[in-house]
């Protein structure tokens, strides 16, 4: 029998989808306000795309990336690189975001080992909160201590600095970036390999947009100490924030960049690792080949679908739509701050979130035991809305926020319905949430 992550949970059985809506086998309808986890970027029921995918499937079943390539695979690589920041000259396709993070870290390590002729550069610095995946290296650099705790014995020790937190944190770009420089100096620049950061933090803190200038400061610090800058755009990239690359919104060119999630609109697992020419040529010079790959690296069918998804987004100018609808969505979500436990609607493009707090004046979170974000998700689901949350991201293990990530082609009516579901959910919960506030410190 199949087992799921939540052993006790009864999962709705979805039998079809159309646009932002999903339908289960008991006749219930769900507005998928998050595309699962920001993956179904074109919604559901993609008839033309599915037909094109089936057409590609008819030609070839599978090609190993070390043996063959295809015209579509090459064309897709060219297209991705043409859109990327101009220092990123190469791209390698993976399956999940975690695969891509593992790949990025190994790429960084192999490059630096070749360049310096030593293995000393091995420490990766990451932010807390921050999320980079569930596999070994990716989990080791994930700034969610509770996620790492259970597997601590398996993981290499890495280094963390506080993520910029515009809602509660010290605010200025310089102050946030200085934490990185201090950490590099503390650990020894000769041992620091890379800084991995989400340009806009996603699932680990209910969206964290950095203060203006933060990433530029970070870029300068990395350059000063020969530390590679890796931008993890698995969640915030590929158009989610209204541009193909979230780092471009901040005028920053990373050495390595990672995308994933919706690259194949959810029809296939597909992620990408972009690398600078210096890295690829360095590895080529020093060792010949990149000593890493999976069975499904550079998967031809995933690339064929990815290429069609990219063309679809471009043809329909969906990134402009993302920017426009994102503005509308944040305005509408701001109306929900009329509830005295809803605050700080934030985000870029269709990457939006808001905070649930016990006290707005002091920004005091709810006790974690109250599980307020979980209650919101559960009640929203009962009302026919599928949302996403972030919990426990503050240093004391509290923190509740809700994420909203509708498809790039979301309609006005779907946005209206989404906000109505949330409003109804908050109204339902308002009386019980008043009893959950816990004592002020
Ligand atoms: C920023 C970021 N990096 C990496 C990952 C890992 O991706 P996956 O779950 O596809 O392995 C995620 C997943 O949510 C993510 O948000």
């Amino acid at each position: 029998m199949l087992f799921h992550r939540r052993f006790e949970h009864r999962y709705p059985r979805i039998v079809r989808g159309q646009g932002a809506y999903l339908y289960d086998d008991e006749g219930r309808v769900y507005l998928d306000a998050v595309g699962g986890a920001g993956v179904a970027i074109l919604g559901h029921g993609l008839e033309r795309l599915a037909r094109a995918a089936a057409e590609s499937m008819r030609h070839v079943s599978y090609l190993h990336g070390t043996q063959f390539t295809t015209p579509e695979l090459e064309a897709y690589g060219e297209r991705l690189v043409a859109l990327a920041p101009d220092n990123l000259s190469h791209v390698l396709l993976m399956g999940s975001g975690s695969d891509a993070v593992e790949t990025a870290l190994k790429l960084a390590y192999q490059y630096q080992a070749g360049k310096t002729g030593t293995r000393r550069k091995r420490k990766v610095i990451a932010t807390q909160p921050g999320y980079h995946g569930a596999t070994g290296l990716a989990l080791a650099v994930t700034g969610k201590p509770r996620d790492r705790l259970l597997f601590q014995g398996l993981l290499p020790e890495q280094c963390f600095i506080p993520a910029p937190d515009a809602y509660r944190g010290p605010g200025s770009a310089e102050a946030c970036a200085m934490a990185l420089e201090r950490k590099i100096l503390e650990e020894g620049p000769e041992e620091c390999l890379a800084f991995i950061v989400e340009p806009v933090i996603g699932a680990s803190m209910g969206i964290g947009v950095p203060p203006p200038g933060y990433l530029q400061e970070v870029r300068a610090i990395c350059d000063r100490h020969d530390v590679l800058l890796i931008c993890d755009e698995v969640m915030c990239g590929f158009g989610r924030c209204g541009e193909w690359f979230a780092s471009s919104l901040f005028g920053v060119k990373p050495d390595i960049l990672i995308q994933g999630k919706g690259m194949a609109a959810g029809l296939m697992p597909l992620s990408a690792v972009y690398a600078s020419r210096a890295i690829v040529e360095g590895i080529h010079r020093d060792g010949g080949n990149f000593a890493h790959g999976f069975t499904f690296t550079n998967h031809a069918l995933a690339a064929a679908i990815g290429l069609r998804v990219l063309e679809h987004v471009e043809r329909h100018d969906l990134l402009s739509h993302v920017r426009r609808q994102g503005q509308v969505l944040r305005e509408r979500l701001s109306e929900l701050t009329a509830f005295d436990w809803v605050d700080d609607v934030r985000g870029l493009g269709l990457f939006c979130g808001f905070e649930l707090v016990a006290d707005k004046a002091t920004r005091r979170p709810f006790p974690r035991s109250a599980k307020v974000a979980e209650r919101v998700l559960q009640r929203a689901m009962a009302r026919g809305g599928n949302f996403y949350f972030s919990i426990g991201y503050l240093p004391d293990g509290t923190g509740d926020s809700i994420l909203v990530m509708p498809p790039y082609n979301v309609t006005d009516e779907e946005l209206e319905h989404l906000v109505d579901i949330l409003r109804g959910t908050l109204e339902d919960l308002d009386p019980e949430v008043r009893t959950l506030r816990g004592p002020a410190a």
Side-chain angles (χ1 to χ4, degrees), residues 95-99 101 131-134 198 203 232-235 261 388:
S96 72
S98 302
D99 294 348
V101 170
Y131 185 75
H132 300 292
E198 295 167 75
D232 179 348
E233 302 199 2
V234 167
M235 208 166 206
K261 296 283 190 196
Y388 205 82

Side-chain angles (χ1 to χ4, degrees), residues 101-179:
V101 170
E102 299 284 323
T103 303
L105 293 175
K106 288 174 77 175
L107 192 66
Y109 183 76
Q110 192 180 333
Y111 166 65
Q112 286 289 28
K115 185 175 129 187
T116 62
T118 75
R119 302 287 166 113
R120 286 193 75 192
K121 276 194 175 284
R122 64 191 163 76
K123 292 181 180 169
V124 180
I125 304 171
T127 66
Q128 190 162 300
Y131 185 75
H132 300 292
T135 52
L137 293 176
L139 181 58
V141 296
T142 280
K144 293 177 80 182
R146 275 189 320 163
D147 282 22
R148 288 200 313 275
L149 195 62
L150 182 61
F151 301 102
Q152 202 78 45
L154 283 174
L155 304 176
E157 191 82 10
Q158 298 299 352
C159 316
F160 293 92
I161 59 167
D165 178 352
Y167 185 53
R168 293 190 175 89
S172 91
E174 294 75 21
C176 296
M178 279 316 293

Side-chain angles (χ1 to χ4, degrees), residues 42 244 309-319 408:
L42 301 179
W244 286 116
V309 169
L310 195 154
E311 285 170 352
H312 180 96
V313 173
E314 282 185 333
R315 194 174 333 113
H316 296 273
D317 193 16
L318 286 183
L319 298 191
Y408 296 1

Side-chain angles (χ1 to χ4, degrees), residues 34-43 240 260-268 405:
V34 287
V39 175
I41 62 167
L42 301 179
R240 175 56 63 189
K261 296 283 190 196
M263 294 186 78
L267 298 180
M268 270 272 173
M405 303 174 279

